[in-house]
């Protein structure tokens, strides 16, 4: 603008010098338009200097000042805004074409996370903790999850937040594609060898021919494969067209950004879904974290049944569990399962004093509040970990894996409860048949055995009610929830070719599993925990009764079970849950539970499962 003003002054000066009689009005006429432009520009400059306005803030200010009624001033400010947009387009080209943040003076609305931490200082511990969870030797992961953010102070108001998020994602995706992790070299070498040798299970210490590494591929060459040069040129051309435009068109800008984001998301999808075999890993997580491999976990629980009846030793609990875990793997996992080697069993330190000798019911009330004082709760901390390589770590974050682990612990405890109910029936019936075979010729002992059988018959009815509830809950979760949601996820994977869409679909999948399994409803999950605890206590008390005549503890457990099961049914059929998103699935579960109106009648107090019975007199021995 000053150059135009200088040029006009020179022209007026030459005109005055060429005229024999200079006229002052010609000077005023030549500089008239600057009386309209220069004072507002001077005020604008003062405001910029006073408030230290720069970068995106400057673009925002110029965009606001463009809306004025003076055509000359409007054209001048639009020209200034055009020059500002040239800088913005250069920054966008660097970020969205090469994945490089070119912003030495902090004027771009995308910044590194550590810049924000240095400014505000409050999130440094949290960020450090999050970064510690990620791979320390792979900067691409830290860049993806925590490396960059949108700095709202530098985001012009005329650029929508959704568009800014698309720009952020596109740049991060280009960064990942252009700078793949060094570990992908080994994965590609491994993939090539497996293609040549056929399908073989890779075992580090197994016998046979040792693994031969081929020469590592060039990282730059792999980056060109992940993002072809033609695609990068296409992105650069779209940004160049925007840059050469005389005016900023919001619609054209948003369409170009969406197109660039779609290109980046498509190639990232190709990397994660196709090249990294995302669906195979999702299936593995379903097999092991969602207990789809039921034979493996059935075998594991049977092998560890006696171990889990004792309180876990904090120093050796994990090592103790590895023996039945490995035995179950040998018996049920085939050599073709290349994902099992990624699964590891963990027993986090629980730090709770466990008392295996006290199993009275007042202690079990603590379970409903979330604590654990008996040996029942010690093994509930069993967890699985899944080893994830690059680039799947972009998809399977720590938050995602922790959700899988939460569902696993719930399902494992449910399966263990079901197994104990079945085993207790088989064990006691076997003992009963053995005693009957021994004493069938002894009239007195035979009559005592029959009386004891009559005494415990109501308890076996209770056991069947417990098993009925647990079986239906397990069937509901495994079939109505997990399998149905898995089919929905698979259809989304087949239809979608966008990485961000896929992440969203997977988040919906996990949220649906948690929601429809009632893990997000504290009252229901606490009742279910209490019911499973009572079932385990019932089984152990039944098996330890032997010839004891005292059934008061079993009756106490039965009372508590009736209360909890009735409370569960009452909550699940309440109007608050009936109108929620889980209602269709919930009705299926309630239909199975209450197919003969038993639970409804019991919940109303019309029918009780077990009523206190008068104690039978002890038969005196002759």
């Amino acid at each position: 603008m000053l150059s135009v003003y200088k040029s006009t002054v020179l022209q007026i000066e030459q005109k005055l010098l060429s005229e024999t009689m200079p006229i002052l009005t010609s000077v005023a006429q030549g500089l008239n338009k600057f009386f309209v432009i220069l004072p507002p520009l001077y005020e604008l400059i003062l405001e910029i200097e006073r408030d230290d306005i720069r970068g995106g803030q400057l673009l925002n200010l110029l965009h606001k000042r463009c809306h004025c009624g003076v055509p000359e001033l409007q054209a001048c400010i639009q020209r200034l805004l055009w020059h500002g947009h040239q800088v913005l387009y250069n920054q966008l080209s660097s970020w969205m074409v090469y994945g490089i943040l070119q912003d030495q003076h902090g004027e771009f609305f995308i910044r590194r996370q550590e810049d924000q931490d240095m400014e505000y200082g409050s999130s440094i511990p949290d960020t450090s903790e999050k970064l510690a969870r990620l791979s320390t030797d792979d900067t691409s992961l830290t860049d993806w999850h925590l490396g960059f953010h949108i700095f709202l102070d530098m985001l012009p108001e005329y650029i929508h937040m959704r568009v800014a998020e698309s720009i952020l994602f596109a740049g991060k995706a280009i960064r990942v594609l252009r700078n793949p992790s060094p570990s992908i070299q080994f994965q590609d070498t491994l993939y090539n060898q497996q293609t040549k040798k056929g399908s073989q299970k890779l075992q580090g210490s197994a016998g046979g021919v040792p693994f031969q590494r081929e020469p590592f591929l060039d990282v730059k060459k792999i980056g060109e494969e992940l993002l072809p040069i033609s695609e990068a040129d296409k992105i650069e051309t779209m940004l160049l067209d925007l840059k050469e435009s005389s005016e900023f068109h919001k619609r054209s800008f948003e369409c170009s950004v969406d197109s660039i984001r779609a290109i980046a998301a498509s190639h990232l999808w190709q990397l994660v879904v196709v090249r990294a075999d995302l669906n195979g890993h999702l299936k593995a997580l379903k097999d092991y974290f969602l207990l789809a491999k039921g034979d493996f976990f059935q075998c594991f629980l049977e092998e560890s049944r006696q171990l889990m009846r004792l309180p876990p030793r904090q120093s050796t609990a994990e090592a103790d569990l590895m023996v039945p875990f490995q035995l179950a793997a040998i018996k049920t996992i085939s050599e073709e399962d290349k994902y099992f080697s990624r699964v590891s069993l963990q027993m986090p330190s629980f730090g709770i004093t466990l008392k295996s000798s006290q199993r009275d019911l007042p202690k079990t009330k603590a379970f409903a509040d979330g604590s654990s004082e008996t040996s029942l709760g010690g093994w509930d901390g069993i967890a699985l970990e899944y080893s994830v390589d690059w680039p799947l770590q972009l998809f399977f974050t720590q938050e995602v894996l922790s959700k899988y682990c939460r569902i696993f612990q719930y399902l494992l405890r449910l399966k263990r409860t079901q197994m104990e109910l079945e085993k207790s029936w088989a064990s006691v019936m076997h003992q009963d048949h053995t005693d009957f075979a021994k004493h069938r010729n002894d009239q007195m002992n035979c009559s005592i055995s029959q009386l004891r059988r009559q005494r415990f018959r109501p308890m076996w009815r209770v056991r069947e009610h417990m098993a009925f509830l647990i079986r239906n809950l397990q069937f509901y979760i495994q079939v109505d929830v997990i399998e149905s949601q898995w089919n929905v996820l698979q259809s989304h994977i087949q239809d979608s070719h966008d990485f961000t869409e896929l992440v969203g679909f997977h988040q919906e999948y996990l949220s649906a599993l948690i929601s429809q399994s009632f893990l997000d409803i504290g009252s229901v999950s606490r009742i279910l925990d209490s019911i499973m605890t009572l079932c385990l206590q019932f089984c152990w008390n039944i098996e330890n009764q032997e010839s004891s005549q005292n059934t008061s503890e079993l009756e106490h457990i039965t009372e508590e079970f009736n209360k909890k099961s009735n409370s569960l049914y009452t909550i699940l059929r309440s109007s608050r849950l009936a109108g929620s998103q889980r209602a269709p699935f919930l009705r299926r579960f309630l239909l199975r539970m209450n197919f003969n109106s038993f639970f409804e009648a019991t919940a109303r107090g019309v029918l009780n499962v077990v009523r206190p019975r008068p104690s039978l007199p002890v038969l005196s021995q002759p």
Side-chain angles (χ1 to χ4, degrees):
M1 187 62 212
L2 291 178
S3 61
V4 175
Y5 177 71
K6 183 178 179 181
S7 175
T8 303
V9 170
L10 289 175
Q11 290 177 3
I12 294 174
E13 181 182 9
Q14 291 176 0
K15 184 177 181 180
L16 292 175
L17 291 174
S18 63
E19 293 179 356
T20 55
M21 295 182 65
I23 302 175
L24 188 60
T25 55
S26 62
V27 177
Q29 181 183 6
L31 298 177
N32 185 46
K33 62 179 180 179
F34 294 102
F35 287 102
V36 180
I37 297 175
L38 290 181
L41 288 181
Y42 177 70
E43 293 178 3
L44 181 65
I45 292 172
L46 289 179
E47 182 180 352
I48 292 171
E49 290 180 346
R50 182 182 70 247
D51 298 336
D52 190 23
I53 297 175
R54 54 197 174 90
Q57 297 172 338
L58 180 58
L59 293 178
N60 196 47
L61 177 63
L62 292 175
H63 185 266
K64 289 181 178 179
R65 294 295 174 88
C66 280
H67 304 288
C68 65
V70 182
E72 295 83 357
L73 181 60
Q74 184 179 23
C76 178
I77 297 179
Q78 283 179 345
R79 187 63 182 172
L80 295 176
L81 183 60
W82 182 86
H83 284 286
H85 281 147
Q86 298 304 298
V87 179
L88 174 64
Y89 289 132
N90 289 336
Q91 292 174 328
L92 288 174
S93 296
S94 176
W95 176 246
M96 301 176 76
V97 177
Y98 304 100
I100 299 173
L101 188 61
Q102 197 75 23
D103 185 27
Q104 295 88 348
H105 304 290
E107 297 176 341
F108 195 32
F109 57 82
I110 291 177
R111 286 192 179 181
R112 280 194 171 274
Q113 188 68 34
E114 53 263 28
D115 297 339
Q116 184 188 37
D117 295 338
M118 291 177 64
E119 286 188 27
Y120 297 101
S122 60
S123 59
I124 294 178
D126 296 337
T127 304
S128 302
E129 183 180 352
K130 292 178 181 177
L131 289 172
R133 298 178 183 175
L134 300 173
S135 176
T136 56
D137 57 349
D138 195 347
T139 56
S140 65
L141 293 177
T142 55
D143 283 352
W144 177 263
H145 292 294
L146 303 170
F148 301 94
H149 71 282
I150 296 174
F151 188 54
L152 295 178
D153 290 349
M154 290 297 171
L155 179 64
E157 293 180 2
Y158 55 89
I159 296 180
H160 196 273
M161 187 63 184
R162 178 191 62 81
V163 180
E165 290 174 350
S166 296
I167 294 172
L168 175 64
F169 168 80
K172 293 198 301 181
I174 297 298
R175 234 179 129 78
V176 168
L177 295 170
R178 284 191 176 272
N179 303 284
S181 170
S183 62
I184 197 174
Q185 302 175 18
F186 181 77
Q187 295 172 23
D188 284 347
T189 305
L190 177 61
Y191 174 78
N192 293 333
Q193 289 198 357
Q194 286 181 336
T195 303
K196 294 176 182 178
K197 298 180 181 180
S199 178
Q200 297 179 354
K201 185 178 180 181
L202 211 65
Q203 297 179 351
S205 59
V209 181
F211 179 77
Q212 300 290 334
R213 293 190 181 184
E214 293 182 358
F216 279 171
L217 300 175
D218 185 13
V219 177
K220 185 177 180 181
K221 184 177 179 181
I222 297 175
E224 292 176 356
E225 293 177 4
L226 299 179
L227 182 67
I229 297 177
S230 60
E231 295 293 290
D233 291 343
K234 189 186 298 184
I235 296 174
E236 192 169 12
T237 302
M238 283 189 279
L239 291 174
L240 187 61
D241 292 340
L242 291 175
K243 186 177 180 181
E244 292 177 350
S245 177
S246 59
E247 293 183 7
F248 178 86
H249 297 285
K250 183 177 179 181
R251 184 175 180 82
S252 300
F253 179 78
E254 292 181 355
C255 290
S256 298
V257 169
D258 289 340
S259 299
I260 295 171
R261 191 208 68 83
I263 293 173
S266 175
H267 286 280
L268 197 59
W269 177 90
Q270 185 74 18
L271 170 65
V272 174
V273 177
V274 179
R275 190 163 187 149
D277 187 23
L278 174 67
N279 211 29
H281 290 276
L282 285 172
K283 180 65 167 61
L285 287 169
K286 177 174 178 281
D287 286 343
Y288 297 108
F289 282 79
L290 305 183
L291 274 59
K293 278 191 178 293
D295 55 341
F296 169 73
F297 288 101
Q298 181 71 23
C299 185
F300 167 67
L301 290 173
E302 288 179 355
E303 294 289 346
S304 60
R305 187 184 180 211
Q306 297 303 321
L307 173 65
M308 289 189 183
R309 291 201 166 193
L310 301 173
R313 293 175 292 183
Q314 189 163 358
S315 57
T316 63
E318 189 171 313
D320 293 339
L321 279 175
M322 285 307 299
V323 176
F325 190 78
Q326 292 173 354
L327 284 174
I330 293 172
K331 293 180 179 180
T332 61
I333 303 298
S334 65
E335 293 185 358
E336 286 75 18
D337 190 342
K338 60 181 179 180
Y339 303 102
F340 179 72
S341 59
R342 297 177 177 272
V343 180
S344 59
L345 188 69
Q346 302 291 331
M347 185 66 185
S349 58
F350 34 85
I352 298 175
T353 304
L354 300 164
K355 303 175 183 178
S356 59
S357 60
Q358 299 178 359
R359 291 175 179 162
D360 47 339
L361 276 178
K363 302 279 186 183
T364 62
K365 292 182 180 179
F367 274 91
D369 298 330
S371 61
S372 173
E373 289 194 32
T374 69
S375 62
L376 295 174
W379 297 103
D380 293 339
I382 297 176
L384 290 184
E385 284 193 1
Y386 192 78
S387 175
V388 181
D389 297 327
W390 191 94
L392 289 172
Q393 290 157 326
L394 307 177
F395 190 86
F396 296 115
T397 62
Q398 288 295 325
E399 180 184 2
V400 167
L401 293 177
S402 65
K403 289 182 179 179
Y404 272 108
C405 188
R406 180 186 176 191
I407 300 171
F408 164 77
Q409 290 177 324
Y410 176 60
L411 293 178
L412 185 67
R413 189 176 182 194
L414 190 61
K415 190 170 186 65
R416 181 189 173 200
T417 304
Q418 183 197 27
M419 186 197 71
E420 287 292 342
L421 288 168
E422 293 172 351
K423 292 288 185 182
S424 66
W425 169 261
S427 174
V428 176
M429 285 300 100
H430 175 74
Q431 184 64 37
D432 186 71
H433 293 160
T434 302
D435 293 343
F436 179 77
K438 285 182 180 179
H439 305 296
R440 60 183 175 180
N441 296 325
D442 188 344
Q443 295 294 331
M444 189 62 195
N445 288 332
C446 185
S447 62
I448 293 176
S449 178
Q450 290 178 352
L451 286 174
R452 188 170 66 240
R453 188 182 303 172
Q454 291 178 359
R455 180 186 302 277
F456 286 104
R457 185 173 297 165
M459 299 306 166
W460 293 123
R461 192 178 300 119
V462 173
R463 189 215 68 88
E464 177 55 33
H465 294 157
M466 290 178 171
F468 174 79
L469 176 59
I470 296 298
R471 276 197 309 267
N472 277 284
L473 178 61
Q474 191 176 32
F475 183 86
Y476 160 76
I477 294 176
Q478 291 291 346
V479 178
D480 290 340
V481 177
I482 295 177
E483 286 301 327
S484 63
Q485 292 300 323
W486 171 258
N487 292 333
V488 172
L489 178 64
Q490 288 299 300
S491 65
H492 286 319
I493 291 176
Q494 292 177 2
D495 297 338
S496 174
H497 288 76
D498 188 305
F499 179 79
T500 49
E501 284 184 359
L502 206 56
V503 171
F505 291 143
H506 187 247
Q507 291 289 353
E508 291 175 4
Y509 167 71
L510 286 178
S511 298
L513 295 185
I514 292 174
S515 171
Q516 295 169 23
S517 299
F518 317 120
L519 290 176
D520 60 337
I521 306 178
S523 57
V524 176
S525 60
R526 284 192 295 270
I527 289 175
L528 289 173
D529 285 343
S530 300
I531 287 175
M532 287 187 277
T533 299
L534 291 168
C535 290
L536 291 176
Q537 286 186 329
F538 180 86
C539 293
W540 294 341
N541 276 277
I542 280 287
E543 293 186 30
N544 292 332
Q545 281 294 319
E546 296 180 354
S547 59
S548 173
Q549 302 296 329
N550 185 15
T551 61
S552 59
E553 190 171 358
L554 286 173
E555 290 174 355
H556 194 188
I557 294 174
T558 301
E559 266 185 54
E560 290 294 318
F561 172 76
N562 288 335
K563 291 178 183 177
K564 297 296 182 183
S565 59
N566 293 341
S567 299
L568 176 66
Y569 179 79
T570 303
I571 293 175
L572 293 182
R573 67 189 298 271
S574 65
S575 57
R576 183 173 64 90
L577 292 182
S580 66
Q581 61 177 352
R582 59 173 65 88
F585 310 96
L586 184 57
R587 284 196 288 269
R588 296 179 192 174
F589 178 48
L590 292 175
L591 177 62
R592 292 193 186 97
M593 280 182 60
N594 193 45
F595 72 97
N596 60 354
S597 300
F598 174 79
F599 271 92
E600 185 176 0
T602 307
R604 292 177 180 174
V606 177
L607 178 65
N608 289 321
V609 177
V610 173
R611 298 181 182 276
R613 295 173 177 267
S615 300
L616 296 176
V618 179
L619 297 176
S620 58
Q621 300 291 338

